[in-house]
Amino acid sequence: QQPVQSPQAVILREGEDAVINCSSSKALYSVHWYRQKHGEAPVFLMILLKGGEQKGHEKISASFNEKKQQSSLYLTASQLSYSGTYFCGTEWSDSNYQLIWGAGTKLIIKP
Amino acid sequence: NAGVTQTPKFQVLKTGQSMTLQCAQDMNHEYMSWYRQDPGMGLRLIHYSVGAGITDQGEVPNGYNVSRSTTEDFPLRLLSAAPSQTSVYFCASTNGGALTEAFFGQGTRLTVV
C-alpha cells in the first residue's frame, strides 16, 4: 500500500508558502523527496531518516514525525521554479530496502 | 557528464510486439533500477540490479525481463507488449543502493496499441 500524499494539488501565488504531507500506514525508516517537472525526470531534493534532523536547503525543508508516521515538505516564499509534481518515496521495515512511492502532489505557482 | 541516458524517448508498439528500452549510466553506479509511472500511481519498481550479473524483481515485474552484463548498461525488455504496458518508463541509478540519491533518465513514453 503506497503512502498517501496530501494535498493532491495546490495552486499558489509566487511568494506564498506550501506544505505537502506524506503519510504512511506503516512505520517509516526513511522518506525521500523528489520534484518532477512536466515531461522531465524526477530530481532529488532530500532524504530524511528516522530519528534524524529536519533537513532543508534554500527555502525548501522537510520534517519527519515518527509519532504520526508522516513527513512534511515545506516550501517557503515559493518561486515560479518550484512548480512541478512532488513525490515522496518511503522505506518501511518490510520493503526489502526498496522505496514505495506516493502518487504525487502537483504544485502550480502563478506570478 | 551525461548521467543516465535512456533511449528511445518515445515508442509506439502494436500488441504482441517485443522491444528493448535502453539505459546507460556513466557514473560507475552499482545500483540501477527500472520504474514505470502511471497517472495517479507514482513510481512502481519493475526490476533492479545491485551490480553486474545480479538482477531482482520489483513490485511489477510481469511481462518484463532485464539483464546486467556491464556496470553501465541495464536494458529492459518487453516480451510481448500489451496495452496495459502503456506508461512512462524511467531508469535510475544510485551509488549506494535504493536508499540513496537516485539519478533518473529522461524517460521513455511507450504506447501499446
Side-chain angles (χ1 to χ4, degrees):
Chain A
Q1 187 177 3
Q2 66 183 151
V4 176
Q5 288 189 234
S6 62
Q8 290 184 333
V10 58
I11 300 174
L12 297 176
R13 292 284 181 191
E14 196 173 8
E16 292 181 337
D17 301 338
V19 180
I20 299 171
N21 296 309
C22 175
S23 298
S24 172
S25 58
K26 298 184 179 184
L28 289 170
Y29 279 12
S30 68
V31 180
H32 303 224
W33 286 99
Y34 285 75
R35 175 172 62 208
Q36 183 180 31
K37 294 187 178 289
H38 182 70
E40 298 182 6
V43 174
F44 173 79
L45 292 176
M46 65 190 75
I47 297 173
L48 291 99
L49 304 177
K50 178 182 177 181
E53 297 178 351
Q54 179 166 335
K55 292 203 171 184
H57 61 93
E58 296 182 349
K59 296 178 182 176
I60 300 176
S61 62
S63 63
F64 189 135
N65 188 321
E66 285 188 53
K67 286 187 178 179
K68 291 185 177 181
Q69 298 304 328
Q70 175 178 289
S71 177
S72 297
L73 186 71
Y74 306 95
L75 297 98
T76 305
S78 57
Q79 306 168 14
L80 294 176
S81 62
Y82 289 178
S83 292
T85 301
Y86 289 77
F87 292 96
C88 66
T90 56
E91 178 200 358
W92 302 331
S93 60
D94 61 351
S95 59
N96 195 27
Y97 304 103
Q98 304 299 329
L99 293 180
I100 310 298
W101 296 83
T105 294
K106 188 170 185 177
L107 177 64
I108 298 172
I109 309 294
K110 293 187 173 182
Chain B
N1 191 351
V4 180
T5 303
Q6 284 183 240
T7 56
K9 288 189 176 180
F10 302 95
Q11 183 70 48
V12 178
L13 288 179
K14 293 183 178 179
T15 298
Q17 286 185 316
S18 62
M19 79 159 295
T20 299
L21 307 185
Q22 301 292 342
C23 176
Q25 53 92 8
D26 61 359
M27 297 174 283
N28 202 33
H29 287 172
E30 291 294 332
Y31 183 92
M32 296 184 72
S33 55
W34 275 102
Y35 290 95
R36 59 177 290 172
Q37 185 176 41
D38 301 296
M41 298 290 293
L43 294 164
R44 290 186 292 169
L45 183 65
I46 304 172
H47 285 285
Y48 66 96
S49 169
V50 298
I54 306 170
T55 63
D56 206 348
Q57 296 181 352
E59 184 184 357
V60 288
N62 292 340
Y64 308 95
N65 271 357
V66 292
S67 60
R68 185 92 179 271
S69 56
T70 67
T71 299
E72 295 77 21
D73 299 301
F74 190 42
L76 177 72
R77 282 183 289 278
L78 279 72
L79 309 174
S80 177
S84 60
Q85 293 179 304
T86 293
S87 187
V88 180
Y89 291 84
F90 286 100
C91 177
S93 74
T94 82
N95 66 357
L99 304 177
T100 57
E101 177 183 355
F103 296 83
F104 285 84
Q106 290 301 302
T108 296
R109 184 173 294 274
L110 175 68
T111 302
V112 182
V113 297

